[in-house]
Amino acid sequence: MNRLQKIIAARGYCSRRKAEELMAQGRVKVNGNVITEMGSSFEDDVEIAIDNKPLVSDNEKYYYLFHKPRMVVTTLQDPQDRRTVADFFKSEKVRLYPVGRLDYDVSGALIMTNDGEFADYIMHPRYGIRKTYQALCQGKVSKYQIRKLMSGVNIDDDNYFTKALDAGILKYDEETDTSIIFLIISEGRKHHVKKMLIAADIVLEKLKRIAIEFLNIADVPSGKYRPLKPHEIKALYGIFKGQRRN
Ligand code: URA
């Protein structure tokens, strides 16, 4: 017997957290009955339907590194009919979903998978998965502002204290009076980087996530994706098991 959200994630439909959301919304049925109780346990091969569509078991796992373009939503459907990440994976036979989120106006690295357990690991704050961002900013970003990002700023209504694991100035262009900076964070509140930059008085023009840990999107053109290599998946599991590289 396992909890329903775990079975749904194991079948590759979505992450455990997402499954809990679907359950809370009354969209999950077991043997024809709506289940909203989070503690409900069933046999792994139980008959599940989501939005009245049967959920088949899918043992084969797929992992992709996607280079999300700007002006694409990180959801599978959009009520406003904007382009979604799912539009780029239509030719894949399994249903893939995004691991974590990138804002509509943010481009860059996004993992797409049908492995719910893996997605939960990547998103769990405990494992501190490092994400590297590159930001095009107005004016000349100062060393003081970079130090501020690294020593920590407060964001959100609860004054959450957060700092970059690393940050630096990559370039200042006098002609356009813009700077390119990078920062690495292991947290992921909504609009996290944007809020950190505001707190450091940095005016953002464009944000791009250039890497998730060692998965760099430099070799993946915008709007394209590549499968993760077995050694990359293994290395990520190494992090989850506490064998972090320095
Ligand atoms: N931080 C943001 O502000 N937006 C993103 O999409 C990711 C991190």
Side-chain angles (χ1 to χ4, degrees), residues 37-151:
E37 182 54 55
M38 295 304 151
S40 309
S41 290
F42 299 93
E43 296 296 342
D44 285 345
D45 58 356
V46 73
E47 201 180 291
I48 302 171
I50 295 178
D51 294 334
N52 292 320
K53 281 194 215 105
L55 189 60
V56 290
S57 169
D58 177 12
N59 291 326
E60 223 173 315
K61 304 297 181 213
Y62 298 87
Y63 310 85
Y64 296 102
L65 177 63
F66 175 48
H67 186 159
K68 177 184 120 39
R70 282 157 59 84
M71 308 312 160
V72 170
V73 273
T74 312
T75 50
L76 300 183
Q77 287 161 9
D78 182 48
Q80 293 173 46
D81 229 15
R82 293 172 295 183
R83 266 212 301 180
T84 74
V85 291
D87 293 340
F88 295 83
F89 289 84
K90 279 189 175 145
S91 60
E92 299 299 330
K93 54 186 181 297
V94 292
R95 183 186 161 101
L96 299 156
Y97 59 91
V99 180
R101 233 148 241 253
L102 278 181
D103 293 338
Y104 182 61
D105 61 350
V106 174
S107 62
L110 187 68
I111 295 174
M112 298 285 292
T113 185
N114 65 339
D115 184 342
E117 299 284 309
F118 178 85
D120 279 337
Y121 272 127
I122 293 263
M123 287 189 286
H124 201 294
R126 182 195 308 162
Y127 303 108
I129 293 298
R130 292 171 190 167
K131 289 146 296 202
T132 308
Y133 292 88
Q134 196 168 295
L136 175 68
C137 310
Q138 280 177 20
K140 192 166 189 183
V141 173
S142 68
K143 284 187 187 151
Y144 169 76
Q145 287 171 311
I146 294 294
R147 273 202 300 274
K148 198 161 172 188
L149 292 173
M150 289 189 61
S151 56

Side-chain angles (χ1 to χ4, degrees), residues 101-104 106 133 185 189-195 207 209:
R101 233 148 241 253
L102 278 181
D103 293 338
Y104 182 61
V106 174
Y133 292 88
I185 59 167
R189 282 195 168 193
K190 203 169 182 196
H191 310 315
H192 203 110
V193 174
K194 290 177 182 169
K195 287 171 185 164
L207 186 62
R209 181 155 72 195

Side-chain angles (χ1 to χ4, degrees), residues 1-12 14-16 19-20 23 38 40 44 116-117 120:
M1 300 279 273
N2 270 310
R3 285 190 304 150
L4 184 54
Q5 56 268 50
K6 188 171 178 195
I7 302 173
I8 294 171
R11 288 195 196 177
C14 61
S15 71
R16 230 185 271 194
E20 285 173 0
M23 288 169 66
M38 295 304 151
S40 309
D44 285 345
E117 299 284 309
D120 279 337

Side-chain angles (χ1 to χ4, degrees), residues 133-137 141-142 146 149 167-171 179-183 197 202 204 207:
Y133 292 88
Q134 196 168 295
L136 175 68
C137 310
V141 173
S142 68
I146 294 294
L149 292 173
I169 301 162
L170 297 172
K171 191 177 155 187
S179 307
I180 297 177
I181 65 166
F182 79 92
L183 69 160
L197 296 182
I202 297 172
L204 176 68
L207 186 62

